[in-house]
Amino acid sequence: MPALASQRKATLTLDWQHFSGLQPYQPLSDKMKAYVTAIRQDGVSEAVWLLEHSSIYTGGTSAKDRDLLDPGLVPTLRVGRGGQWTWHGPGQRIAYVMLDLNRRGKDVRSLVHGLEGWVIASLGQFGIAGLRREGLPGIWVDTGNGATGLDKIAAIGIRISRWVSWHGIAINLNPDLAAFDSIVPCGIIDGGVTSFRNLGVLANMDDLDQALKEQFPKFFPSLL
């Protein structure tokens, strides 16, 4: 690598981007894939993209046909991230996280643990006690519902391309939770799905975004 490019890559910081309006899934995914390539090949900044998607059911690499129950007219798409079926749509904050693991340590488990910690800390700013479940990526809260008493408030689905991460997290702020009735979300049958609004927590996307930005450096410090 030329000296100038090497120096530029060594001093990059994180680029936060907000996308206004509802984003169609595939075009945004294509744009994210191109950005991941640019991180790897051109040394552009790592990035977090904050957005809401138009309503869609996406199936990760472990998604089973039987768990797509009754999507109706909502589009469905199999994608390359990890995980099973989930729903994206209005009222759900998506954070796509593009980090260069070549520089952060090639440890996928550590990445997922960091993402979970980031979400838990961000929820904590609103008085929501987020929980991990062993072997089940994502964040849960104790609602007393169902067999376990736990409902999922945030999903995590990551893909790694030549040690650069993409895709990321989805946090339920105030979506229509009925959308999850048409799938077995993340393949889990012993817990439901919840949201800020369902828990009686009043917050808007700007509030959540601010918390995410404040907490992120605690788990993923800038590379200077």
Side-chain angles (χ1 to χ4, degrees):
M1 179 182 295
L4 181 60
S6 179
Q7 182 181 19
R8 178 167 56 90
K9 188 168 184 176
T11 58
L12 289 176
T13 57
L14 190 76
D15 180 29
W16 289 87
Q17 290 195 36
H18 286 79
F19 292 76
S20 62
L22 297 179
Q23 300 297 312
Y25 189 91
Q26 192 61 62
L28 200 286
S29 181
D30 292 343
K31 184 173 183 178
M32 178 171 46
K33 183 177 181 180
Y35 194 92
V36 165
T37 299
I39 291 176
R40 187 173 64 249
Q41 295 183 353
D42 304 324
V44 302
S45 298
E46 298 177 314
V48 177
W49 292 357
L50 300 173
L51 58 124
E52 291 176 82
H53 275 306
S54 303
S55 188
I56 188 172
Y57 294 109
T58 65
T61 53
S62 302
K64 301 175 178 64
D65 290 341
R66 66 175 181 267
D67 289 343
L68 186 61
L69 304 177
D70 183 19
L73 299 178
V74 177
T76 64
L77 182 67
R78 287 186 175 271
V79 297
R81 60 161 173 79
Q84 302 188 45
W85 288 106
T86 194
W87 171 85
H88 297 314
Q92 182 187 76
R93 173 52 88 213
I94 301 294
Y96 285 136
V97 181
M98 288 157 277
L99 298 178
D100 187 353
L101 301 187
N102 290 291
R103 303 171 67 205
R104 292 182 176 272
K106 297 177 179 179
D107 188 337
V108 177
R109 180 175 296 182
S110 177
L111 170 66
V112 173
H113 194 268
L115 292 172
E116 291 174 337
W118 174 40
V119 175
I120 290 170
S122 299
L123 296 178
Q125 293 195 200
F126 302 92
I128 299 173
L131 303 170
R132 293 180 173 93
R133 291 184 67 184
E134 184 67 29
L136 299 173
I139 301 303
W140 302 72
V141 293
D142 187 353
T143 61
N145 298 327
T148 63
L150 300 176
D151 287 337
K152 197 169 192 177
I153 194 169
I156 295 177
I158 287 291
R159 182 172 181 177
I160 309 295
S161 295
R162 298 184 184 179
W163 295 110
V164 179
S165 71
W166 50 311
H167 297 276
I169 67 172
I171 302 175
N172 296 327
L173 184 72
N174 57 2
D176 180 0
L177 294 179
F180 290 97
D181 293 341
S182 295
I183 57 173
V184 179
C186 302
I188 306 302
I189 60 175
D190 64 354
V193 181
T194 193
S195 66
F196 277 54
R197 182 171 61 188
N198 204 47
L199 295 171
V201 177
L202 300 180
N204 57 39
M205 285 294 182
D206 289 340
D207 297 329
L208 178 54
D209 291 346
Q210 183 61 35
L212 290 169
K213 288 183 176 181
E214 289 177 4
Q215 296 300 325
F216 191 86
K218 299 177 183 179
F219 300 89
F220 302 101
S222 295
L223 296 174
L224 298 176

